[in-house]
Amino acid sequence: MREKLTYALGILGTLVMLFNLNTIFGDLPDEAMQGTIFRIIFIHVPAAINADIFLFAALCASVAFLAKKNFLYDSISVACIEVATMLLLLNLVTGSIWGRNQWGIWWAWDLRMTSQLMCFLLYLGYLLVRPAIAEPTQRATMSAFISIFAFADVPLVLMAIRLPNVKTQHPGPVLETGNLAPVYQGPFALGILALFLLGTALVLVRLHQETSRREIDSLRRELHSF
Amino acid sequence: MDPIAVANNLRFLFYGYTAGFLILLIFVLTLVSRGRKIDSELARLKALVEDKERPS
């Protein structure tokens, strides 16, 4: 059942993405100011939105683990964080490429970009520290605390372009300011959906691996007891 | 837009999407390879436990 769901989500996500790419490159007109490079928004922003969704899921799972001490929540948390970290990297890299074209620089140390980089580094740290703790309960507890602490950066990233007295190089929120023309809104929403479906499929794959890893740990303990 | 800017735009759009899909592809391949290693380790340990449990 789980395997079928994973394949279904993965295939559906790929189909939605292919359909969307066909629309983005085949049907959409160039943006008046930026030209064709504007199309990078359909991968750059959905990656950030989905990263935040998976990071929020990881936060909930971490809190649930601390409350109930059920290792399934720890597995959900690490699976979501791994996929979200990949999406954050995708967001940072595509944003940097867009910035090089539009601003003439690869990077600007403004609040939005710096806080997003910090977010990526915090969760990368989580993924690097986690395997260093051998004892499973200690590892899961420490991971939950790091996950909750790291999530504090997410609202900062979201608010960075919305704070009244902060000027950033990064553009404002396109949906809220009404700067995204209606013709672009459909592909934008489909971009979010495609990455969400693919991301969920990847989370399920990663979740299965984490369950197998726990089984490996218990088999090792069993072998030591002989 | 002048032709140089258009060409530049296309070049960077290509870089952006290529980088994006490469990151996604590398992540998927890493997951697949890790999954294979975990499955083989699990099978090996299960066989070891069965061997130990079998009365000699």
Side-chain angles (χ1 to χ4, degrees), chain A:
Chain A
M1 176 62 189
R2 183 202 52 82
E3 207 165 313
K4 276 183 187 169
L5 181 67
T6 307
Y7 279 120
L9 285 170
I11 291 167
L12 193 62
T14 308
L15 288 176
V16 173
M17 185 170 272
L18 288 175
F19 172 78
N20 204 32
L21 284 175
N22 183 48
T23 312
I24 291 166
F25 291 103
D27 300 340
L28 285 187
D30 283 353
E31 205 264 347
M33 300 294 286
Q34 294 181 28
T36 191
I37 190 73
F38 177 76
R39 287 174 171 84
I40 220 163
I41 198 176
F42 300 112
I43 189 169
H44 172 71
V45 182
I49 291 173
N50 279 296
D52 289 348
I53 290 171
F54 289 120
L55 290 178
F56 182 70
L59 171 78
C60 296
S62 298
V63 172
F65 173 78
L66 290 178
K68 298 187 175 170
K69 297 288 177 198
N70 182 340
F71 279 94
L72 175 67
Y73 294 120
D74 175 58
S75 302
I76 293 172
S77 176
V78 69
C80 287
I81 287 178
E82 208 168 292
V83 172
T85 308
M86 179 272 293
L87 289 172
L88 285 175
L89 178 66
L90 204 159
N91 170 259
L92 285 168
V93 170
T94 52
S96 179
I97 290 169
W98 178 87
R100 177 67 181 83
N101 180 262
Q102 288 296 300
W103 304 329
I105 47 170
W106 290 104
W107 188 261
W109 291 102
D110 75 354
L111 183 60
R112 170 63 159 225
M113 292 158 72
T114 310
S115 56
Q116 185 75 316
L117 177 66
M118 215 167 80
C119 191
F120 169 71
L121 293 175
L122 279 168
Y123 284 105
L124 189 65
Y126 168 100
L127 294 172
L128 293 175
V129 164
R130 196 180 148 83
I133 307 166
E135 207 281 309
T137 311
Q138 204 180 359
R139 179 174 57 213
T141 309
M142 187 61 85
S143 300
F145 278 117
I146 299 174
S147 161
I148 293 166
F149 167 74
F151 191 82
D153 188 58
V154 175
L156 181 67
V157 178
L158 292 173
M159 290 308 294
I161 49 171
R162 293 174 175 87
L163 293 171
N165 297 323
V166 176
K167 283 194 175 175
T168 59
Q169 178 96 3
H170 191 282
V174 281
L175 285 177
E176 291 161 39
T177 51
N179 286 343
L180 191 67
V183 70
Y184 297 125
Q185 286 173 10
F188 188 81
L190 277 185
I192 296 171
L193 178 69
L195 275 186
F196 179 74
L197 292 170
L198 281 175
T200 309
L202 293 173
V203 165
L204 287 175
V205 171
R206 190 63 190 81
L207 192 58
H208 172 65
Q209 290 180 358
E210 208 52 33
T211 313
S212 301
R213 211 171 252 177
R214 273 210 312 278
E215 207 177 330
I216 287 173
D217 282 345
S218 72
L219 283 173
R220 279 193 182 136
R221 276 197 298 276
E222 204 175 316
L223 274 172
H224 279 296
S225 68
F226 280 116

Side-chain angles (χ1 to χ4, degrees), chain B residues 21-36:
Chain B
F21 285 114
L22 264 181
I23 289 168
L24 200 58
L25 183 71
I26 289 169
F27 183 76
V28 171
L29 291 178
T30 310
L31 270 191
V32 170
S33 120
R34 198 195 291 161
R36 280 190 189 145

